[in-house]
Amino acid sequence: MKLRIRIFSIILALCALAGTFVYARSDRNIFEDYSLFGNNKTTVRLWYTDDSLTPYLQSRAVAYAESNDDVRIEPVLVSGLEYLEEINRASVDMDNYPDLYIITNDSLEKAYLAGLAMEVDEDGQFLTGSIFPEAALNSVTYEGKKIAYPFYFETSSLIYNKTYLENMAVETMQSEIDTAEGEAAQAAAEEASSEGELEDAATSDVSTEITQGMIDEAVAESLPLTISDILKFAESYNAPEQVEAVFEWDVTDIFYNYFFVGNYMNVGGDAGDDVNQIDIYNTDTISCMKIYQQLNQFFAIDPESIDYNQVVQDFINGKVVFTVATTDIIKKIEDAQAAGECDFEFAVADMPGITADFGSRTMSVTECLVVNGLSEHGKEAADVAKFLCSDTSGDLFRHSDKIAARYGVEYGDPNIVTFVKVYADSVPMPKTIETSNLWMQLEIAFTKIWNGEDCNSTLRQVSENIMTQITGEPFSEETLPDPSNVDITADLNEDND
């Protein structure tokens, strides 16, 4: 009934517009006017909340209109406050509602249960592992169905000052060359002395030229595979005067801390949608948190006075050699370099493990294109989503600094390629509504543990809180044996006493 009323209203509006047009332009037949009937295309209204996407979405809307005679894209920037609630209200009221919208993957369960997301790519020909990383596919999966299209992502990885590592490599190689040349000269001198040819030996040339290829190889070999390696690096590094910390990161934000437990904490399974798969409190997560806590004695970071923006600025200013950062750091460094405020080169590396015995896995958030389950143009909206996710030009990053959640994009930047690699193996933010406040609880727990509180009991409390939310009744965890500090932190203490 509501649909018929809406159609009737549209017909009345068109009739009124037609009457006005005939009165004003009686010299031309209304059916020949392109301005009125050229817009007879089906409109797919796309809602989004991030203004940095505006240039890109507008350019793609133009490109789509040029290649499609029946459908046009209308990007609409809206407020992010109560975003999903507003989508629901507009859809129910049929008030300029979105046919397609962009939302983070952790909100997909809520959207699907509200009828605001529908199954997409039912034939499985588009959302495949040859096009999208596993993390991207997991991020849009709910109860075995794909309910959105992965658009772009955010994750964190290790960033390092490439200039510092190159300088260190040159110093090391030059020292080795000087030593080798000195030894060769000494040997030649001794041989010449015994044969009466000392003068010729002294003038022999055994110099070696250091090439960029040699430097690159040395830098690659010096990159840390674990946090333990960073500690060993700090021991032998002859730091420039401006360096205040070999390794600094925001210890107050779970996004930059989660890699410590990401390999061993299970929140909802691979797709993050199953409350029957919750494993927060186990011996491995306790061990990793004990290692995390011990790092406080090597990297004296005050959680009361640090935040991510400060960490990034310290890195740009050359005060830090290694840090953990999200993809936004690329643009921030490039802007600083362009303004003459950063004299250093940087690079992105794979996220290192914790120690030789404990690996790491970073967290990711995927921004998804969701077809509104209440839309009258679901097929057209799905086609638009595929069109946007099929772009391999690299324009998404050039226009908005967003990295596409797919393979095969032409970036021409190895740092972005590394971020894509890290994202592929990341842990997507879970979708389960019952665990939505886990991240706040983990942030609090990480800060407590960093400041010295007991790892075992702190993690157990987080787990009990989450399980109470899931079951709806008080939940108590059996206390696990405390892992030995000596065993799990051996790699940290081995050469750092």
Side-chain angles (χ1 to χ4, degrees):
M1 181 65 179
K2 188 175 289 188
L3 178 59
R4 288 201 295 271
I5 292 174
R6 186 182 183 212
I7 293 174
F8 183 68
S9 300
I10 293 174
I11 291 173
L12 287 178
L14 286 174
C15 288
L17 179 60
T20 302
F21 182 83
V22 170
Y23 176 79
R25 297 279 302 279
S26 59
D27 59 319
R28 290 184 58 186
N29 189 304
I30 183 174
F31 295 99
E32 295 177 354
D33 189 86
Y34 177 79
S35 65
L36 180 62
F37 291 95
N39 289 329
N40 230 11
K41 293 182 175 184
T42 297
T43 297
V44 171
R45 191 172 292 111
L46 168 61
W47 278 20
Y48 64 105
T49 62
D50 189 339
D51 191 29
S52 68
L53 288 169
T54 298
Y56 175 76
L57 292 177
Q58 289 178 344
S59 68
R60 297 309 289 165
V62 171
Y64 196 73
E66 291 175 348
S67 61
N68 194 298
D69 296 330
D70 303 315
V71 180
R72 72 184 187 96
I73 306 172
E74 181 187 338
V76 181
L77 177 66
V78 299
S79 169
L81 298 175
E82 299 184 343
Y83 181 48
L84 199 56
E85 289 74 10
E86 183 59 23
I87 291 172
N88 183 69
R89 185 206 63 75
S91 300
V92 171
D93 294 346
M94 293 191 173
D95 180 20
N96 291 321
Y97 66 89
D99 303 286
L100 188 66
Y101 59 93
I102 299 173
I103 200 167
T104 54
N105 69 283
D106 58 305
S107 297
L108 287 180
E109 180 181 67
K110 186 177 181 181
Y112 185 78
L113 295 178
L116 300 176
M118 57 184 289
E119 185 175 0
V120 299
D121 190 42
E122 293 90 343
D123 59 4
Q125 297 300 306
F126 185 69
L127 295 175
T128 67
S130 61
I131 300 176
F132 295 94
E134 183 178 4
L137 298 177
N138 286 336
S139 71
V140 298
T141 300
Y142 180 71
E143 295 186 345
K145 300 181 290 289
K146 302 293 188 296
I147 60 171
Y149 295 91
F151 191 19
Y152 60 92
F153 72 86
E154 187 60 278
T155 194
S156 59
S157 196
L158 186 74
I159 318 295
Y160 62 94
N161 188 310
K162 188 177 179 181
T163 300
Y164 287 160
L165 266 61
E166 286 184 338
N167 291 344
M168 185 184 74
V170 171
E171 290 174 5
T172 300
M173 285 188 289
Q174 189 61 58
S175 177
E176 292 172 351
I177 290 170
D178 291 344
T179 299
E181 289 181 348
E183 292 174 350
Q186 179 65 29
E190 291 174 356
E191 181 180 352
S193 176
S194 64
E195 299 176 359
E197 299 175 356
L198 182 60
E199 184 176 348
D200 291 338
T203 58
S204 62
D205 183 11
V206 292
S207 63
T208 302
E209 181 182 359
I210 298 175
T211 66
Q212 186 61 48
M214 294 167 62
I215 297 172
D216 292 342
E217 183 178 354
V219 168
E221 291 177 353
S222 70
L223 292 179
L225 299 179
T226 65
I227 301 299
S228 303
D229 290 340
I230 295 181
L231 294 178
K232 294 178 176 65
F233 174 94
E235 273 196 326
S236 60
Y237 183 50
N238 184 21
E241 184 178 352
Q242 66 267 32
V243 173
E244 298 178 357
V246 168
F247 186 32
E248 180 183 78
W249 76 102
D250 184 358
V251 297
T252 67
D253 193 321
I254 190 62
F255 212 83
Y256 309 103
N257 271 330
Y258 191 76
F259 75 96
F260 281 96
V261 294
N263 207 39
Y264 307 103
M265 189 173 287
N266 185 358
V267 186
D270 291 339
D273 61 348
D274 186 357
V275 293
N276 295 312
Q277 298 187 57
I278 304 293
D279 186 13
I280 296 169
Y281 175 62
N282 56 64
T283 55
D284 286 331
T285 56
I286 297 171
S287 295
C288 289
M289 292 311 297
K290 281 177 169 287
I291 295 170
Y292 173 80
Q293 186 176 69
Q294 187 166 358
L295 292 176
N296 193 0
Q297 67 181 283
F298 301 110
F299 309 111
I301 302 171
D302 182 3
E304 296 294 328
S305 61
I306 198 167
D307 61 44
Y308 178 66
N309 289 330
Q310 178 195 324
V311 169
V312 171
Q313 193 58 53
D314 285 347
F315 184 83
I316 289 174
N317 292 340
K319 297 179 180 180
V320 178
V321 182
F322 297 100
T323 190
V324 177
T326 35
T327 62
D328 61 293
I329 197 171
I330 295 177
K331 180 68 162 52
K332 290 177 179 178
I333 294 174
E334 289 176 347
D335 287 347
Q337 290 172 334
E341 298 170 354
C342 179
D343 299 327
F344 310 102
E345 294 299 321
F346 74 100
V348 181
D350 291 342
M351 183 64 81
I354 311 303
T355 66
D357 296 322
F358 292 96
S360 67
R361 200 173 171 203
T362 190
M363 180 192 291
S364 66
V365 174
T366 303
E367 296 282 350
C368 307
L369 287 159
V370 183
V371 177
N372 189 344
L374 301 180
S375 170
E376 298 173 337
H377 307 301
K379 180 183 182 304
E380 293 84 353
D383 289 341
V384 169
K386 290 180 181 178
F387 170 76
L388 293 172
C389 291
S390 296
D391 182 15
T392 59
S393 67
D395 285 345
L396 177 61
F397 184 77
R398 280 188 285 273
H399 289 311
S400 62
D401 303 317
K402 312 294 186 186
I403 303 180
R406 60 158 297 153
Y407 293 127
V409 179
E410 302 172 2
Y411 292 115
D413 184 343
N415 290 321
I416 300 178
V417 174
T418 300
F419 263 123
V420 174
K421 180 181 176 182
V422 172
Y423 168 65
D425 188 47
S426 65
V427 181
M429 185 83 84
K431 308 173 183 67
T432 48
I433 297 172
E434 295 89 342
T435 62
S436 59
N437 72 337
L438 170 63
W439 315 114
M440 179 185 68
Q441 293 196 42
L442 280 177
E443 281 193 352
I444 295 171
F446 266 81
T447 299
K448 288 180 177 179
I449 290 171
W450 183 260
N451 287 332
E453 293 198 19
D454 181 67
C455 301
N456 193 320
S457 60
T458 302
L459 272 179
R460 188 182 73 250
Q461 184 63 56
V462 172
S463 181
E464 289 177 345
N465 291 344
I466 295 300
M467 293 306 298
T468 297
Q469 291 173 194
I470 292 173
T471 62
E473 52 189 51
F475 188 91
S476 179
E477 289 271 16
E478 180 181 351
T479 301
L480 296 173
D482 215 29
S484 165
N485 284 347
V486 175
D487 292 339
I488 64 175
T489 60
D491 283 349
L492 299 181
N493 293 323
E494 182 180 356
D495 296 315
N496 299 286
D497 295 328

PDB file of all heavy atoms in Angstrom, residues 433-456:
ATOM      1  N   ILE A 433      27.051  -8.710  18.016  1.00  0.00           N
ATOM      2  CA  ILE A 433      26.561  -7.589  18.804  1.00  0.00           C
ATOM      3  C   ILE A 433      26.934  -7.754  20.272  1.00  0.00           C
ATOM      4  O   ILE A 433      27.271  -6.781  20.963  1.00  0.00           O
ATOM      5  CB  ILE A 433      25.029  -7.466  18.642  1.00  0.00           C
ATOM      6  CG1 ILE A 433      24.677  -7.152  17.181  1.00  0.00           C
ATOM      7  CG2 ILE A 433      24.470  -6.396  19.569  1.00  0.00           C
ATOM      8  CD1 ILE A 433      23.195  -7.196  16.875  1.00  0.00           C
ATOM      9  N   GLU A 434      26.921  -8.996  20.753  1.00  0.00           N
ATOM     10  CA  GLU A 434      27.173  -9.253  22.167  1.00  0.00           C
ATOM     11  C   GLU A 434      28.601  -8.905  22.592  1.00  0.00           C
ATOM     12  O   GLU A 434      28.864  -8.719  23.784  1.00  0.00           O
ATOM     13  CB  GLU A 434      26.917 -10.730  22.500  1.00  0.00           C
ATOM     14  CG  GLU A 434      25.472 -11.167  22.331  1.00  0.00           C
ATOM     15  CD  GLU A 434      25.186 -11.651  20.919  1.00  0.00           C
ATOM     16  OE1 GLU A 434      25.981 -11.332  19.999  1.00  0.00           O
ATOM     17  OE2 GLU A 434      24.178 -12.342  20.720  1.00  0.00           O
ATOM     18  N   THR A 435      29.530  -8.832  21.632  1.00  0.00           N
ATOM     19  CA  THR A 435      30.928  -8.544  21.973  1.00  0.00           C
ATOM     20  C   THR A 435      31.345  -7.136  21.544  1.00  0.00           C
ATOM     21  O   THR A 435      32.525  -6.832  21.466  1.00  0.00           O
ATOM     22  CB  THR A 435      31.867  -9.568  21.310  1.00  0.00           C
ATOM     23  OG1 THR A 435      31.735  -9.476  19.875  1.00  0.00           O
ATOM     24  CG2 THR A 435      31.522 -10.982  21.743  1.00  0.00           C
ATOM     25  N   SER A 436      30.369  -6.284  21.286  1.00  0.00           N
ATOM     26  CA  SER A 436      30.678  -4.972  20.714  1.00  0.00           C
ATOM     27  C   SER A 436      31.536  -4.097  21.621  1.00  0.00           C
ATOM     28  O   SER A 436      32.246  -3.211  21.144  1.00  0.00           O
ATOM     29  CB  SER A 436      29.384  -4.231  20.356  1.00  0.00           C
ATOM     30  OG  SER A 436      28.582  -4.062  21.515  1.00  0.00           O
ATOM     31  N   ASN A 437      31.470  -4.321  22.933  1.00  0.00           N
ATOM     32  CA  ASN A 437      32.279  -3.498  23.843  1.00  0.00           C
ATOM     33  C   ASN A 437      33.569  -4.191  24.268  1.00  0.00           C
ATOM     34  O   ASN A 437      34.255  -3.726  25.185  1.00  0.00           O
ATOM     35  CB  ASN A 437      31.463  -3.095  25.077  1.00  0.00           C
ATOM     36  CG  ASN A 437      31.225  -4.264  26.024  1.00  0.00           C
ATOM     37  OD1 ASN A 437      31.280  -5.420  25.601  1.00  0.00           O
ATOM     38  ND2 ASN A 437      30.949  -3.977  27.279  1.00  0.00           N
ATOM     39  N   LEU A 438      33.905  -5.308  23.626  1.00  0.00           N
ATOM     40  CA  LEU A 438      35.133  -6.020  23.972  1.00  0.00           C
ATOM     41  C   LEU A 438      36.354  -5.132  23.808  1.00  0.00           C
ATOM     42  O   LEU A 438      37.285  -5.174  24.617  1.00  0.00           O
ATOM     43  CB  LEU A 438      35.275  -7.270  23.107  1.00  0.00           C
ATOM     44  CG  LEU A 438      36.634  -8.002  23.194  1.00  0.00           C
ATOM     45  CD1 LEU A 438      36.869  -8.524  24.605  1.00  0.00           C
ATOM     46  CD2 LEU A 438      36.697  -9.141  22.175  1.00  0.00           C
ATOM     47  N   TRP A 439      36.378  -4.305  22.765  1.00  0.00           N
ATOM     48  CA  TRP A 439      37.565  -3.514  22.444  1.00  0.00           C
ATOM     49  C   TRP A 439      37.838  -2.477  23.517  1.00  0.00           C
ATOM     50  O   TRP A 439      38.986  -2.209  23.855  1.00  0.00           O
ATOM     51  CB  TRP A 439      37.390  -2.893  21.063  1.00  0.00           C
ATOM     52  CG  TRP A 439      36.851  -3.934  20.143  1.00  0.00           C
ATOM     53  CD1 TRP A 439      35.633  -3.963  19.538  1.00  0.00           C
ATOM     54  CD2 TRP A 439      37.490  -5.176  19.821  1.00  0.00           C
ATOM     55  NE1 TRP A 439      35.482  -5.139  18.846  1.00  0.00           N
ATOM     56  CE2 TRP A 439      36.599  -5.897  19.000  1.00  0.00           C
ATOM     57  CE3 TRP A 439      38.725  -5.741  20.142  1.00  0.00           C
ATOM     58  CZ2 TRP A 439      36.903  -7.154  18.496  1.00  0.00           C
ATOM     59  CZ3 TRP A 439      39.027  -6.997  19.638  1.00  0.00           C
ATOM     60  CH2 TRP A 439      38.133  -7.693  18.823  1.00  0.00           C
ATOM     61  N   MET A 440      36.780  -1.901  24.062  1.00  0.00           N
ATOM     62  CA  MET A 440      36.961  -0.961  25.167  1.00  0.00           C
ATOM     63  C   MET A 440      37.509  -1.695  26.389  1.00  0.00           C
ATOM     64  O   MET A 440      38.417  -1.205  27.064  1.00  0.00           O
ATOM     65  CB  MET A 440      35.632  -0.291  25.505  1.00  0.00           C
ATOM     66  CG  MET A 440      35.719   0.696  26.662  1.00  0.00           C
ATOM     67  SD  MET A 440      34.117   1.364  27.116  1.00  0.00           S
ATOM     68  CE  MET A 440      33.324  -0.103  27.780  1.00  0.00           C
ATOM     69  N   GLN A 441      36.973  -2.886  26.650  1.00  0.00           N
ATOM     70  CA  GLN A 441      37.447  -3.652  27.794  1.00  0.00           C
ATOM     71  C   GLN A 441      38.899  -4.090  27.613  1.00  0.00           C
ATOM     72  O   GLN A 441      39.690  -4.087  28.561  1.00  0.00           O
ATOM     73  CB  GLN A 441      36.555  -4.877  28.013  1.00  0.00           C
ATOM     74  CG  GLN A 441      35.146  -4.530  28.451  1.00  0.00           C
ATOM     75  CD  GLN A 441      34.411  -5.740  29.025  1.00  0.00           C
ATOM     76  OE1 GLN A 441      34.978  -6.517  29.772  1.00  0.00           O
ATOM     77  NE2 GLN A 441      33.143  -5.874  28.664  1.00  0.00           N
ATOM     78  N   LEU A 442      39.262  -4.455  26.385  1.00  0.00           N
ATOM     79  CA  LEU A 442      40.643  -4.855  26.123  1.00  0.00           C
ATOM     80  C   LEU A 442      41.600  -3.680  26.264  1.00  0.00           C
ATOM     81  O   LEU A 442      42.722  -3.834  26.749  1.00  0.00           O
ATOM     82  CB  LEU A 442      40.765  -5.485  24.735  1.00  0.00           C
ATOM     83  CG  LEU A 442      40.341  -6.945  24.601  1.00  0.00           C
ATOM     84  CD1 LEU A 442      40.461  -7.409  23.156  1.00  0.00           C
ATOM     85  CD2 LEU A 442      41.179  -7.852  25.510  1.00  0.00           C
ATOM     86  N   GLU A 443      41.188  -2.508  25.804  1.00  0.00           N
ATOM     87  CA  GLU A 443      42.038  -1.326  25.956  1.00  0.00           C
ATOM     88  C   GLU A 443      42.337  -1.067  27.426  1.00  0.00           C
ATOM     89  O   GLU A 443      43.478  -0.786  27.810  1.00  0.00           O
ATOM     90  CB  GLU A 443      41.368  -0.102  25.329  1.00  0.00           C
ATOM     91  CG  GLU A 443      41.489  -0.041  23.821  1.00  0.00           C
ATOM     92  CD  GLU A 443      41.098   1.321  23.275  1.00  0.00           C
ATOM     93  OE1 GLU A 443      40.599   2.151  24.058  1.00  0.00           O
ATOM     94  OE2 GLU A 443      41.301   1.546  22.074  1.00  0.00           O
ATOM     95  N   ILE A 444      41.309  -1.161  28.251  1.00  0.00           N
ATOM     96  CA  ILE A 444      41.494  -0.965  29.687  1.00  0.00           C
ATOM     97  C   ILE A 444      42.427  -2.035  30.246  1.00  0.00           C
ATOM     98  O   ILE A 444      43.332  -1.751  31.048  1.00  0.00           O
ATOM     99  CB  ILE A 444      40.137  -0.991  30.407  1.00  0.00           C
ATOM    100  CG1 ILE A 444      39.280   0.195  29.961  1.00  0.00           C
ATOM    101  CG2 ILE A 444      40.326  -0.983  31.920  1.00  0.00           C
ATOM    102  CD1 ILE A 444      37.846   0.148  30.457  1.00  0.00           C
ATOM    103  N   ALA A 445      42.222  -3.288  29.812  1.00  0.00           N
ATOM    104  CA  ALA A 445      43.041  -4.405  30.309  1.00  0.00           C
ATOM    105  C   ALA A 445      44.498  -4.236  29.901  1.00  0.00           C
ATOM    106  O   ALA A 445      45.413  -4.461  30.708  1.00  0.00           O
ATOM    107  CB  ALA A 445      42.487  -5.724  29.770  1.00  0.00           C
ATOM    108  N   PHE A 446      44.748  -3.836  28.651  1.00  0.00           N
ATOM    109  CA  PHE A 446      46.122  -3.639  28.192  1.00  0.00           C
ATOM    110  C   PHE A 446      46.819  -2.553  29.013  1.00  0.00           C
ATOM    111  O   PHE A 446      47.991  -2.694  29.369  1.00  0.00           O
ATOM    112  CB  PHE A 446      46.131  -3.261  26.704  1.00  0.00           C
ATOM    113  CG  PHE A 446      46.299  -4.426  25.777  1.00  0.00           C
ATOM    114  CD1 PHE A 446      45.227  -5.231  25.439  1.00  0.00           C
ATOM    115  CD2 PHE A 446      47.536  -4.729  25.228  1.00  0.00           C
ATOM    116  CE1 PHE A 446      45.368  -6.306  24.582  1.00  0.00           C
ATOM    117  CE2 PHE A 446      47.699  -5.800  24.369  1.00  0.00           C
ATOM    118  CZ  PHE A 446      46.618  -6.598  24.043  1.00  0.00           C
ATOM    119  N   THR A 447      46.098  -1.472  29.295  1.00  0.00           N
ATOM    120  CA  THR A 447      46.696  -0.392  30.079  1.00  0.00           C
ATOM    121  C   THR A 447      47.023  -0.864  31.495  1.00  0.00           C
ATOM    122  O   THR A 447      48.099  -0.558  32.037  1.00  0.00           O
ATOM    123  CB  THR A 447      45.746   0.819  30.141  1.00  0.00           C
ATOM    124  OG1 THR A 447      45.506   1.293  28.813  1.00  0.00           O
ATOM    125  CG2 THR A 447      46.353   1.945  30.959  1.00  0.00           C
ATOM    126  N   LYS A 448      46.101  -1.610  32.097  1.00  0.00           N
ATOM    127  CA  LYS A 448      46.353  -2.134  33.443  1.00  0.00           C
ATOM    128  C   LYS A 448      47.579  -3.050  33.451  1.00  0.00           C
ATOM    129  O   LYS A 448      48.442  -2.952  34.330  1.00  0.00           O
ATOM    130  CB  LYS A 448      45.126  -2.906  33.943  1.00  0.00           C
ATOM    131  CG  LYS A 448      43.933  -2.040  34.317  1.00  0.00           C
ATOM    132  CD  LYS A 448      42.783  -2.912  34.808  1.00  0.00           C
ATOM    133  CE  LYS A 448      41.601  -2.077  35.268  1.00  0.00           C
ATOM    134  NZ  LYS A 448      40.477  -2.945  35.728  1.00  0.00           N
ATOM    135  N   ILE A 449      47.646  -3.928  32.467  1.00  0.00           N
ATOM    136  CA  ILE A 449      48.761  -4.879  32.403  1.00  0.00           C
ATOM    137  C   ILE A 449      50.075  -4.156  32.136  1.00  0.00           C
ATOM    138  O   ILE A 449      51.111  -4.473  32.719  1.00  0.00           O
ATOM    139  CB  ILE A 449      48.476  -5.955  31.338  1.00  0.00           C
ATOM    140  CG1 ILE A 449      47.348  -6.871  31.836  1.00  0.00           C
ATOM    141  CG2 ILE A 449      49.724  -6.767  31.008  1.00  0.00           C
ATOM    142  CD1 ILE A 449      46.825  -7.834  30.800  1.00  0.00           C
ATOM    143  N   TRP A 450      50.062  -3.163  31.251  1.00  0.00           N
ATOM    144  CA  TRP A 450      51.266  -2.374  30.981  1.00  0.00           C
ATOM    145  C   TRP A 450      51.781  -1.714  32.256  1.00  0.00           C
ATOM    146  O   TRP A 450      52.986  -1.602  32.481  1.00  0.00           O
ATOM    147  CB  TRP A 450      50.965  -1.319  29.926  1.00  0.00           C
ATOM    148  CG  TRP A 450      52.138  -0.491  29.507  1.00  0.00           C
ATOM    149  CD1 TRP A 450      52.454   0.760  29.932  1.00  0.00           C
ATOM    150  CD2 TRP A 450      53.171  -0.867  28.587  1.00  0.00           C
ATOM    151  NE1 TRP A 450      53.600   1.209  29.321  1.00  0.00           N
ATOM    152  CE2 TRP A 450      54.075   0.223  28.488  1.00  0.00           C
ATOM    153  CE3 TRP A 450      53.422  -2.006  27.824  1.00  0.00           C
ATOM    154  CZ2 TRP A 450      55.204   0.198  27.674  1.00  0.00           C
ATOM    155  CZ3 TRP A 450      54.546  -2.030  27.010  1.00  0.00           C
ATOM    156  CH2 TRP A 450      55.422  -0.949  26.938  1.00  0.00           C
ATOM    157  N   ASN A 451      50.826  -1.310  33.103  1.00  0.00           N
ATOM    158  CA  ASN A 451      51.189  -0.627  34.343  1.00  0.00           C
ATOM    159  C   ASN A 451      51.488  -1.590  35.488  1.00  0.00           C
ATOM    160  O   ASN A 451      51.719  -1.142  36.619  1.00  0.00           O
ATOM    161  CB  ASN A 451      50.075   0.335  34.759  1.00  0.00           C
ATOM    162  CG  ASN A 451      50.019   1.565  33.866  1.00  0.00           C
ATOM    163  OD1 ASN A 451      51.025   1.980  33.297  1.00  0.00           O
ATOM    164  ND2 ASN A 451      48.832   2.134  33.728  1.00  0.00           N
ATOM    165  N   GLY A 452      51.471  -2.904  35.206  1.00  0.00           N
ATOM    166  CA  GLY A 452      51.936  -3.845  36.209  1.00  0.00           C
ATOM    167  C   GLY A 452      50.910  -4.746  36.863  1.00  0.00           C
ATOM    168  O   GLY A 452      51.267  -5.576  37.699  1.00  0.00           O
ATOM    169  N   GLU A 453      49.628  -4.614  36.492  1.00  0.00           N
ATOM    170  CA  GLU A 453      48.626  -5.474  37.128  1.00  0.00           C
ATOM    171  C   GLU A 453      48.746  -6.908  36.609  1.00  0.00           C
ATOM    172  O   GLU A 453      49.262  -7.162  35.514  1.00  0.00           O
ATOM    173  CB  GLU A 453      47.215  -4.917  36.899  1.00  0.00           C
ATOM    174  CG  GLU A 453      46.981  -3.600  37.606  1.00  0.00           C
ATOM    175  CD  GLU A 453      45.518  -3.262  37.768  1.00  0.00           C
ATOM    176  OE1 GLU A 453      44.666  -4.182  37.677  1.00  0.00           O
ATOM    177  OE2 GLU A 453      45.213  -2.076  37.993  1.00  0.00           O
ATOM    178  N   ASP A 454      48.218  -7.846  37.364  1.00  0.00           N
ATOM    179  CA  ASP A 454      48.360  -9.272  37.060  1.00  0.00           C
ATOM    180  C   ASP A 454      47.697  -9.615  35.722  1.00  0.00           C
ATOM    181  O   ASP A 454      46.507  -9.330  35.514  1.00  0.00           O
ATOM    182  CB  ASP A 454      47.740 -10.101  38.179  1.00  0.00           C
ATOM    183  CG  ASP A 454      47.887 -11.590  37.931  1.00  0.00           C
ATOM    184  OD1 ASP A 454      49.036 -12.081  37.959  1.00  0.00           O
ATOM    185  OD2 ASP A 454      46.865 -12.251  37.698  1.00  0.00           O
ATOM    186  N   CYS A 455      48.461 -10.239  34.836  1.00  0.00           N
ATOM    187  CA  CYS A 455      47.968 -10.574  33.499  1.00  0.00           C
ATOM    188  C   CYS A 455      46.855 -11.609  33.560  1.00  0.00           C
ATOM    189  O   CYS A 455      45.829 -11.490  32.870  1.00  0.00           O
ATOM    190  CB  CYS A 455      49.113 -11.111  32.634  1.00  0.00           C
ATOM    191  SG  CYS A 455      50.488  -9.979  32.432  1.00  0.00           S
ATOM    192  N   ASN A 456      47.051 -12.633  34.349  1.00  0.00           N
ATOM    193  CA  ASN A 456      46.116 -13.743  34.419  1.00  0.00           C
ATOM    194  C   ASN A 456      44.734 -13.281  34.868  1.00  0.00           C
ATOM    195  O   ASN A 456      43.733 -13.500  34.175  1.00  0.00           O
ATOM    196  CB  ASN A 456      46.668 -14.807  35.378  1.00  0.00           C
ATOM    197  CG  ASN A 456      45.948 -16.131  35.281  1.00  0.00           C
ATOM    198  OD1 ASN A 456      44.728 -16.185  35.153  1.00  0.00           O
ATOM    199  ND2 ASN A 456      46.687 -17.229  35.345  1.00  0.00           N
TER     200      ASN A 456
END
